[in-house]
Amino acid sequence: MSSQNVYILGIESSCDDTSAAILCNDRVLSNVVASQKIHEQYGGVVPELASRAHQQNIVPVIDQAIKQAGITKDDLTAIAFTRGPGLMGSLLVGTSFAKSLALALDIPLIDVNHMQAHILAHFIDEEGFDKPEFPFLALTISGGHTQVVKVTNHFEMEIIGETIDDAVGEAFDKSAKILGLPYPGGPLVDKYAQLGNPKAFPFTKPRVDGLNFSFSGLKTGILYFVQKQLKENPNFIEENLHDVCASIQYTIINILIDKLKKASKETGIKSIAIGGGVSANSGIRKALKEGEFKYGWKTFVPKFEYTTDNAAMIGIVGYLKYLQQDFTDMSIVAKARIKF
């Protein structure tokens, strides 16, 4: 292997996906994800079951990532892992394995903030995808987070707006549950929304000062609306599913875009990037692209496989930290809640 190349093993285990990736500098050689289906029957992620599944998956996932990359473990330059935020039991599996392997191979260990990784996934060298120039605004949207972040450089980030209750991913999944859709319901709302009328049922948008978000009131409004309609017509959901999903998605997207417009105006920044699992939503991607024409934005949407939890985004942070020789030691511990 060339001495100029840096080979990073990225490990992601923050929630219910076990993932390992190999990067050569800023290019992805492999990105393996093992999803956990067991949670579907419970309507949400069960932390204890998630951590057990990580223990079962982590060795074969890392082994497969190394083989797919065409290297051996002895070629690795450093190991990057998710320190937090996330489920504590799940984080412990990835953290412990990363520390053990780095110790065995005598190579540097790099801790990664999961939410920073969603933003820095844009800096993976991927054909057909541009990298944002600094400064830019990042909208990080996932099952547990909704944030507007001002990004000045790779590691200087400021949260200028965030949710005060539910995250946008929760709004999608809980709305889907109200409609009787299986978990995870967010992708199904997106799927059915594409077949419906987004203005069929107007839902009230929460009024929240500044750049912060709130989705709890919207979720409650949807619940009461559906309950009222079912009393009048027991077949309401079945007969109007597409229109209801389209109306829910339309409202959520408007909430996000309104805050981005405000953030862009206040900061004077026209470059907008999205990250996090919910950025896979087709309606949000479309609305962001339309913002280029409506508001003069330059928008950056990551490759689909880098939106949901994956180790490639952990690996790119590892590479950027490696260039700065920003390593951690064996005293590092996982943290379920962690700030930028």
Side-chain angles (χ1 to χ4, degrees):
M1 296 296 169
S2 170
S3 60
Q4 296 179 350
N5 286 329
V6 176
Y7 290 90
I8 302 289
L9 165 62
I11 299 173
E12 156 60 18
S13 67
S14 65
C15 190
D16 61 336
D17 288 325
T18 313
S19 182
I22 302 294
L23 274 71
C24 176
N25 303 327
D26 58 354
R27 291 193 64 85
V28 176
L29 301 183
S30 64
N31 188 30
V32 179
V33 181
S35 298
Q36 301 175 7
K37 299 293 185 182
I38 192 170
H39 306 285
E40 293 177 2
Q41 59 187 296
Y42 298 102
V45 177
V46 182
E48 177 63 23
L49 295 179
S51 59
R52 289 181 186 178
H54 282 303
Q55 289 178 317
Q56 294 172 341
N57 292 337
I58 194 163
V59 171
V61 163
I62 290 175
D63 182 59
Q64 188 176 351
I66 291 173
K67 288 178 179 176
Q68 283 187 12
I71 65 170
T72 70
K73 66 180 186 298
D74 294 323
D75 296 314
L76 294 174
T77 310
I79 298 173
F81 68 97
T82 302
R83 183 189 182 195
L87 301 175
M88 193 61 185
S90 296
L91 291 168
L92 283 171
V93 176
T95 301
S96 301
F97 193 93
K99 290 165 72 172
S100 300
L101 188 57
L103 187 65
L105 296 175
D106 193 24
I107 58 177
L109 184 66
I110 303 169
D111 65 299
V112 175
N113 181 307
H114 179 86
M115 297 311 296
Q116 280 189 338
H118 274 304
I119 296 172
L120 295 178
H122 287 276
F123 293 90
I124 293 172
D125 184 9
E126 192 71 41
E127 187 175 350
F129 290 82
D130 295 329
K131 300 176 182 179
E133 294 182 359
F134 301 112
F136 65 90
L137 294 177
L139 176 67
T140 55
I141 43 180
S142 67
H145 298 86
T146 304
Q147 301 170 333
V148 179
V149 183
K150 180 182 176 183
V151 185
T152 304
N153 61 48
H154 289 130
F155 298 108
E156 185 178 342
M157 303 181 186
E158 178 189 1
I159 299 173
I160 58 176
E162 60 187 333
T163 183
I164 60 175
D165 43 57
D166 287 352
V168 65
E170 292 174 300
F172 273 114
D173 285 340
K174 289 178 180 178
S175 296
K177 189 173 183 178
I178 291 168
L179 296 174
L181 300 177
Y183 177 86
L188 291 175
V189 172
D190 183 23
K191 176 183 176 181
Y192 297 140
Q194 296 176 51
L195 304 172
N197 175 9
K199 298 183 180 180
F201 305 106
F203 294 108
T204 303
K205 291 191 293 183
R207 293 184 179 180
V208 185
D209 293 336
L211 299 175
N212 287 335
F213 301 86
S214 171
F215 293 99
S216 180
L218 174 63
K219 176 199 66 180
T220 303
I222 292 168
L223 174 62
Y224 289 162
F225 168 79
V226 171
Q227 288 176 340
K228 181 175 181 290
Q229 297 299 322
L230 286 174
K231 283 183 180 179
E232 298 174 4
N233 176 12
N235 298 319
F236 173 78
I237 293 177
E238 183 180 340
E239 294 172 0
N240 298 276
L241 181 60
H242 295 163
D243 286 348
V244 175
C245 287
S247 299
I248 291 170
Q249 181 153 298
Y250 177 77
T251 306
I252 291 175
I253 290 171
N254 277 344
I255 293 170
L256 296 175
I257 296 299
D258 284 350
K259 293 296 183 178
L260 276 180
K261 285 162 56 179
K262 185 177 178 67
S264 179
K265 185 177 180 180
E266 289 184 3
T267 61
I269 297 172
K270 295 284 189 178
S271 293
I272 314 288
I274 59 171
V278 184
S279 62
N281 180 281
S282 65
I284 294 173
R285 286 171 167 248
K286 181 181 178 183
L288 197 66
K289 280 298 180 183
E290 288 175 350
E292 294 187 333
F293 302 100
K294 291 182 178 179
Y295 316 118
W297 295 344
K298 185 172 183 181
T299 60
F300 300 86
V301 179
K303 188 176 180 181
F304 187 84
E305 67 185 80
Y306 303 145
T307 56
T308 53
D309 293 348
N310 69 93
M313 68 182 193
I314 306 303
I316 189 62
V317 181
Y319 173 66
L320 294 170
K321 280 194 166 188
Y322 182 86
L323 295 179
Q324 297 184 4
Q325 299 290 285
D326 184 3
F327 306 138
T328 189
D329 57 37
M330 292 298 156
S331 67
I332 192 77
V333 293
K335 294 190 70 174
R337 295 186 179 183
I338 189 170
K339 296 286 186 180
F340 281 166

